Amino acid sequence: MKNLAAALSGKPWIWSFVAAALVWLATITYTGGQGGGAILSAALSFATFTIIVGLGQMLVITTGPGNVDLSIPATITLSGVVAMKVMDTETSRLLIGVVAALAASFVVGCFNFGLIRLLRIPPIIATLSSSFLVLSTAISYGRGLRIKPPPPLAEFATMRMLGIPVVALFVLLLTIAIAVLLSRTLYGRSVSAVGQNMRAAWLAGFNVDRTRFSTYVLSALLAGVCGIVLSGFSGGAALNMGEEFLLASIAVVVIGGTSVAGGRASVPGIWGAAIFMYLLVTMLNTFGASAVIRLVLTGLIIIVVIVIAGGEKEQR
Amino acid sequence: MINRSLLRQALPFLSLAVVLAATFYVQPRTMSYFGLNLMLQYAVPIALATIAQMFIITVNDLDLSIGPFVGLVGCVSATLLYNDPFLGVLALLALIACYGAVGALIHLRNLPSIVVTLGLSFVWLGIAVLILPSPGGKAPDWLKAIMSFQFPYVPFPIVAAVVIGLVVHVALMNSSFGVIARGAGGNPKALARAGWSLLWTKVSMYLLAGFFGVLSGLSLLGLTTSADAHVADRYTLYSIAGVILGGGEFVGGRVSPLGAVVGALTLALAGSFLIFLKISPDWQIGAQGAILIIVLALRAAVTYGEKRA
């Protein structure tokens, strides 16, 4: 029992999977065992978008207290709008569209870091202010046009293999890449080091600025990827397509067991938490809860999960 | 040689003066009792919400639920408080107590306030929509009377803002309670070793935040005269930006109540200014971001010099 507790305390992400499994069990118990597989498949499909941006948000939050990227929703929108407009429904322009959307996201990431580093604006306010500018750019560039994605992109975003969404597999690869990046590369180690103690990391010879720069750019790029795939999935870009990801991206990071105080990332937790969040909504839907009740219960359950999972242990 | 720390404290006021001057320049007709009254009336609820946020930031937390909370207070007041004042007051007191309980929970379990208040924002919004599924309800008459009160010579919003700012400033900056509260943000461990209860400090700051959130909701309802669950969704961002514009810091208990009120006024004015500028609606929100960035860049320049000197 003690060993089990010790093993669990080292793996904070376990809880998000436990919560997801409980919610799933409650749902299929209610339906009498029907549709369990379909629900999981749908959850995988919808959760992938949250996972993509959650990974970026996780990196940012891991670089230390106060670091958070509030420009993710605006970047998703900008990327989606740019991708759809550049592609202009033509399959032949698919690649240019992807490159253009990622380039736009890259610029957002650089801008964010510029505000934080050069102007010394706290990241919360810096990314918030830049998100206003980014959103305005998206609005004025997109001009409310709803352009359909090129067929291959739409297919990629909605295709399933043996009931598993292809996008989920793609995001799984992305997740593994980020996990390796975090645990096996100099960049990954410096993210944790900077997050634990920026000054100590600097004294130890880590390049703090380069680490933070790469992190904000990575977060923006991941938001860009999410924007492209999401527009393919939902048949075009919309100006409010990023909205729900502001809260979701932060929630999955924290529920997934990443330390809010920085320095400790939890990659698998993002998956557990994103799937949990989707299954939660599904469960409340199956129980016949109205949209309002769902809202209240979602909030309460997020709080309950974080209370049970416990906060930061006192460090030092 | 200019005194840097004085300059730093003066910066929020200078920013306000610049935005005010720019507004007068673009639209000279606003330079009147009536014009200022109209432009600044919504600054009162924003300032109150900013003060609420400031109490939370003082103890190194962040409240992402203040916007929906203000909306909920409006909904409760436009229905329950209007129909049955006794029950209404009771409900509002219960809401404030909820804030205190959340503060205790966050402290006892050492939880990240961002996530807890994020969850709470769903709860507040949901309850508000439950109470008032579509915009409606009625503001109590006394509330409307207070909010449309006309002072001679000086517009009511300015008087209200100054009073709010000064009262909170004296309470937080010049009282022993205020010193302990700010100390809880500056060095919680030292404070605990000195024998003060961190739990109690945090709970009282959350209670104060709830109280000012209720005041914000009431004053907003007095202006709009009917309630809407979503009316204050933007207040969360406004309040955080206001505290920071006013010279506050996210950590370390470094806040300024007067600055926060001035920051809120600046934000409210910036909104009107952008409308007078007649820039395309596409860029309205972007321009707001740009103003924020410019003001904060100025502050960065000042504080940078402060550290060097």
Side-chain angles (χ1 to χ4, degrees):
Chain A
M1 198 63 211
K2 239 179 198 168
N3 286 338
L4 186 70
L8 280 182
S9 72
K11 296 183 178 57
W13 49 267
I14 286 284
W15 298 110
S16 61
F17 283 94
V18 170
L22 285 178
V23 170
W24 181 71
L25 281 177
T27 315
I28 56 168
T29 312
Y30 187 82
T31 59
Q34 297 218 319
I39 291 173
L40 270 187
S41 172
L44 271 180
S45 170
F46 281 96
T48 44
F49 305 113
T50 318
I51 293 170
I52 302 176
V53 288
L55 288 170
Q57 188 73 274
M58 176 194 72
L59 291 174
V60 173
I61 289 180
T62 304
T63 57
N67 281 300
V68 66
D69 188 354
L70 298 187
S71 68
I72 285 178
T75 315
I76 292 176
T77 307
L78 180 68
S79 157
V81 167
V82 168
M84 290 307 106
K85 208 160 171 190
V86 172
M87 289 176 194
D88 200 19
T89 72
E90 301 284 336
T91 307
S92 58
R93 297 174 58 83
L94 187 79
L95 206 61
I96 313 174
V98 171
V99 171
L102 290 182
S105 315
F106 179 77
V107 172
V108 175
C110 295
F111 186 65
N112 279 340
F113 181 71
L115 291 180
I116 295 165
R117 182 66 188 86
L118 300 177
L119 299 184
R120 291 153 177 265
I121 303 178
I124 295 185
I125 299 287
T127 52
L128 174 69
S129 324
S130 85
S131 81
F132 288 166
L133 284 167
V134 172
L135 197 61
S136 270
T137 314
I139 293 173
S140 109
Y141 181 73
R143 274 260 133 253
L145 289 176
R146 188 147 181 112
I147 309 172
K148 280 211 160 73
L153 179 63
E155 259 167 46
F156 168 72
T158 49
M159 197 163 54
R160 276 159 199 278
M161 266 165 50
L162 307 168
I164 299 171
V166 172
V167 180
L169 296 175
F170 159 75
V171 175
L172 183 64
L173 290 179
L174 195 70
T175 312
I176 294 172
I178 300 249
V180 171
L181 188 73
L182 261 175
S183 58
R184 293 270 180 273
T185 65
L186 177 64
Y187 164 73
R189 303 319 293 165
S190 43
V191 166
S192 303
V194 169
Q196 277 161 25
N197 190 326
M198 200 192 285
R199 195 170 152 70
W202 181 74
L203 288 171
F206 284 106
N207 191 331
V208 174
D209 281 342
R210 201 193 314 159
T211 307
R212 294 182 81 197
F213 170 75
S214 318
T215 305
Y216 277 94
V217 166
L218 256 178
S219 171
L221 284 177
L222 286 168
V225 171
C226 177
I228 299 169
V229 183
L230 188 58
S231 342
F233 185 79
S234 47
L239 289 176
N240 62 352
M241 64 192 274
E243 237 166 49
E244 57 179 305
F245 292 99
L246 177 63
L247 305 186
S249 70
I250 302 175
V252 293
V253 171
V254 180
I255 294 177
T258 294
S259 161
V260 192
R264 207 153 36 82
S266 162
V267 180
I270 304 280
W271 276 75
I275 293 172
F276 162 70
M277 296 266 287
Y278 178 80
L279 287 178
L280 186 64
V281 174
T282 313
M283 177 183 81
L284 297 174
N285 266 333
T286 348
F287 289 179
S290 69
V292 179
I293 300 286
R294 225 160 54 213
L295 204 62
V296 176
L297 285 177
T298 310
L300 284 178
I301 291 176
I302 289 179
I303 297 174
V304 168
V305 167
I306 192 77
V307 168
I308 292 175
E312 306 292 319
K313 297 288 171 291
E314 202 63 35
Q315 285 176 349
R316 278 175 290 260
Chain B
M1 182 67 202
I2 315 163
N3 187 336
R4 293 275 182 187
S5 107
L6 198 71
L7 194 61
R8 180 197 157 89
Q9 280 172 25
L11 200 63
F13 298 89
L14 287 177
S15 321
L16 176 63
V18 170
V19 177
L20 196 62
T23 313
F24 286 160
Y25 178 77
V26 176
Q27 187 54 273
R29 268 178 292 178
T30 56
M31 211 187 329
S32 62
Y33 180 89
F34 184 70
L36 278 174
N37 208 3
L38 207 61
M39 253 189 333
L40 286 174
Q41 57 176 352
Y42 283 98
V44 176
I46 296 179
L48 288 164
T50 307
I51 292 284
Q53 184 71 258
M54 189 204 64
F55 283 121
I56 306 282
I57 290 183
T58 306
V59 285
N60 293 355
D61 282 347
L62 204 58
D63 184 3
L64 297 184
S65 71
I66 189 73
F69 182 75
V70 170
L72 171 61
V73 169
C75 289
V76 169
S77 309
T79 51
L80 216 51
L81 191 65
Y82 183 80
N83 296 327
D84 186 344
F86 179 71
L87 268 182
V89 170
L90 222 54
L92 292 179
L93 287 178
L95 284 178
I96 298 177
C98 278
Y99 249 80
V102 168
L105 190 68
I106 287 177
H107 177 77
L108 290 174
R109 294 284 295 160
N110 204 8
L111 303 175
S113 60
I114 299 185
V115 186
V116 177
T117 54
L118 199 66
L120 267 185
S121 69
F122 291 121
V123 177
W124 300 144
L125 191 65
I127 300 177
V129 176
L130 266 184
I131 295 175
L132 214 61
S134 57
K138 273 206 179 88
D141 290 322
W142 52 269
L143 206 53
K144 278 190 278 186
I146 294 177
M147 290 314 290
S148 52
F149 187 79
Q150 304 232 329
F151 270 105
Y153 308 115
V154 188
F156 172 70
I158 297 181
V159 178
V162 169
V163 170
I164 296 164
L166 279 179
V167 167
V168 180
H169 201 90
V170 169
L172 196 64
M173 309 308 272
N174 294 354
S175 74
S176 54
F177 168 74
V179 172
I180 295 164
R182 285 180 292 130
N187 192 339
K189 255 182 200 155
L191 201 76
R193 295 233 168 96
W196 300 103
S197 160
L198 280 181
L199 172 67
W200 181 234
T201 315
K202 208 158 220 182
V203 169
S204 20
M205 292 314 258
Y206 271 81
L207 284 173
L208 278 170
F211 175 65
F212 275 86
V214 166
L215 290 186
S216 171
L218 287 174
S219 59
L220 183 58
L221 179 64
L223 289 169
T224 54
T225 68
S226 74
D228 173 5
H230 288 281
V231 71
D233 284 357
R234 283 207 159 180
Y235 276 34
T236 306
L237 299 182
Y238 278 157
S239 65
I240 300 173
V243 173
I244 302 303
L245 274 183
E249 307 271 349
F250 280 115
V251 287
R254 239 184 136 167
V255 291
S256 157
L258 269 180
V261 169
V262 170
L265 286 180
T266 313
L267 282 174
L269 254 184
S272 313
F273 172 64
L274 291 174
I275 292 168
F276 293 136
L277 267 188
K278 295 198 182 109
I279 46 174
S280 114
D282 291 357
W283 287 97
Q284 283 284 350
I285 186 166
Q288 205 141 7
I291 290 185
L292 262 177
I293 292 173
I294 292 168
V295 175
L296 290 166
L298 275 176
R299 193 176 78 147
V302 170
T303 45
Y304 185 64
E306 187 184 51
K307 267 172 203 153
R308 268 187 155 178

